Amino acid sequence: MVKRIERHEARVGMFIESLEGAWQDNPFGQRRFLLRSETEVDLIKNSRITGIYINLAKGVDVDGSSRSFANSSPPRSPPPRKALLDERRATVRVVQASVKRLETAFKESRSGEPINIESVSEIVGDISTQIGNSPAILLDITRLKSKDKVTFVHSVAVSALLVHFARHLHFEEPLVRVLGFAGLVHDIGKLAIPTAILNKASVLTAEERKIVMQHPAIGHDILKRQGNLPGVVLDICRHHHERMNGKGYPDSIPAGELSIYVRMSAICDVYEAVTSVRPYKKPWSSATALSWMLQHGDHFDTQLLWKFILSLDSELTRGVA
């Protein structure tokens, strides 16, 4: 039996036969599926669809009752503690090695040498493999920054988030790798910003903020001189601080001119920044960060932001409002 309900009546365990409304308002990109998490439910409730058709033979009703729930997957047992520890140690090694290699590549660029594309690409390969094995652990570890490694660990983390997000959106793997590369070098312009400003433990002055705001344009110039990088990499480097309301920097570009890749990078960059240790602040929880980002819909592509939330581990996003 199929029945229509309102979107606010959605709940975990319902089997969706179809979503009523325009195709572009469907936040899932598919027609028939089982609602398996509160994050997916929130995605529907905050969408612009006008109604839901649920199959009671395959999922629960509004009151939670069910004729058959055979298609649902049984709860997954958590991995053994030893397995988690082994994964964490392996991920620590990948992050440490990636940060060290990225720091070397950036230092060579600072001295006027071209970026070692092969070396940076190998870092992307390591991150891509590890994010596939244990995304939650990798994202957890990238929040553990030392004061002098902020830029490098942030870049590794943004790269990991972009890879994870792009795969969730079913991008082709070559494009996933390009986005991972872009994440690693998106902040290369910070090489020209005085360390005293980057590591300042208090609020920046207006003049210091102007200096920091120069880094996307500086980074774009550095990468453009390379002469052999994909346009997506240059686009993300220059525009990852642009906003949907046209009030970002350095070019104040309106939303209609921002590529999906730039919009993705803006989400990943801000999420990583506010959930990680910085010299001037304590990290926010994932739920706090995502709730804040949703409240600032004029900064981000809201539809993409909901898909980003859905891509993250449910344990990380629990409590998002």
Side-chain angles (χ1 to χ4, degrees):
M1 175 184 175
V2 175
K3 67 180 279 189
R4 183 189 182 280
I5 64 172
E6 300 297 326
R7 69 169 186 259
H8 70 268
E9 296 179 289
R11 62 181 297 161
V12 172
M14 286 182 169
F15 189 90
I16 307 298
E17 281 291 344
S18 66
L19 298 175
E20 184 181 85
W23 67 266
Q24 64 266 29
D25 293 334
N26 182 338
F28 293 91
Q30 56 184 318
R31 189 173 66 86
R32 303 176 73 247
F33 55 94
L34 181 70
L35 286 177
R36 298 182 182 275
S37 71
E38 291 296 341
T39 300
E40 292 177 333
V41 171
D42 285 343
L43 197 57
I44 284 182
K45 289 181 177 179
N46 287 277
S47 72
R48 290 184 291 184
I49 63 172
T50 54
I52 309 170
Y53 290 89
I54 60 174
N55 189 330
L56 299 183
K58 296 183 177 182
V60 302
D61 201 343
V62 174
D63 62 2
S65 62
S66 173
R67 297 184 182 181
S68 172
F69 202 24
N71 286 356
S72 63
S73 300
R76 290 177 295 176
S77 300
R81 178 173 176 78
K82 184 179 183 304
L84 286 174
L85 290 174
D86 288 344
E87 278 191 67
R88 189 177 180 87
R89 292 189 189 101
T91 306
V92 167
R93 289 193 293 271
V94 169
V95 171
Q96 289 176 336
S98 298
V99 169
K100 186 174 182 180
R101 293 175 70 177
L102 186 64
E103 187 174 9
T104 299
F106 275 26
K107 283 181 177 178
E108 290 173 352
S109 177
R110 180 183 282 141
S111 64
E113 297 292 324
I115 297 171
N116 188 329
I117 293 179
E118 182 178 352
S119 178
V120 177
S121 297
E122 288 175 357
I123 298 172
V124 177
D126 291 341
I127 292 171
S128 297
T129 299
Q130 199 62 33
I131 195 70
N133 292 339
S134 51
I137 293 177
L138 178 55
L139 298 180
D140 175 56
I141 288 175
T142 52
R143 285 144 178 64
L144 306 177
K145 295 182 173 69
S146 61
K147 186 175 180 180
D148 59 337
K149 303 291 185 183
V150 168
T151 296
F152 306 112
V153 183
H154 170 69
S155 297
V156 169
V158 170
S159 176
L161 286 167
L162 275 170
V163 166
H164 188 59
F165 192 14
R167 283 178 175 160
H168 177 77
L169 296 177
H170 305 294
F171 287 3
E172 296 290 334
E173 195 61 22
L175 178 54
V176 171
R177 295 299 182 96
V178 169
L179 291 172
F181 189 104
L184 286 176
V185 300
H186 78 287
D187 267 347
I188 195 170
K190 287 185 177 178
L191 295 175
I193 308 300
T195 303
I197 294 179
L198 291 178
N199 291 342
K200 187 176 179 181
S202 57
V203 178
L204 298 179
T205 65
E207 186 60 35
E208 289 169 337
R209 178 163 174 74
K210 285 182 181 179
I211 293 173
V212 171
M213 289 171 66
Q214 295 172 8
H215 81 268
I218 294 172
H220 181 263
D221 289 343
I222 293 172
L223 296 180
K224 193 173 182 180
R225 288 198 299 270
Q226 186 82 19
N228 55 352
L229 293 177
V232 171
V233 174
L234 298 174
D235 192 23
I236 287 176
C237 180
R238 185 174 185 93
H239 298 135
H240 63 276
H241 282 294
E242 298 291 351
R243 297 290 176 257
M244 296 295 286
N245 59 12
K247 296 181 180 179
Y249 65 88
D251 301 316
S252 301
I253 294 179
E257 297 178 22
L258 298 177
S259 70
I260 185 175
Y261 313 118
V262 165
R263 298 178 189 207
M264 291 169 63
S265 70
I267 290 170
C268 294
D269 182 65
V270 171
Y271 173 78
E272 201 292 319
V274 298
T275 58
S276 63
V277 176
R278 289 298 176 95
Y280 50 85
K281 74 167 188 66
K282 293 181 179 180
W284 291 358
S285 70
S286 291
T288 299
L290 294 169
S291 294
W292 180 87
M293 292 171 74
L294 286 168
Q295 291 166 19
H296 290 75
D298 59 337
H299 288 192
F300 309 100
D301 182 323
T302 306
Q303 290 295 313
L304 262 184
L305 179 55
W306 272 112
K307 291 178 181 179
F308 175 74
I309 292 171
L310 189 62
S311 78
L312 297 179
D313 188 279
S314 60
E315 291 298 316
L316 294 178
T317 58
R318 185 170 294 165
V320 177

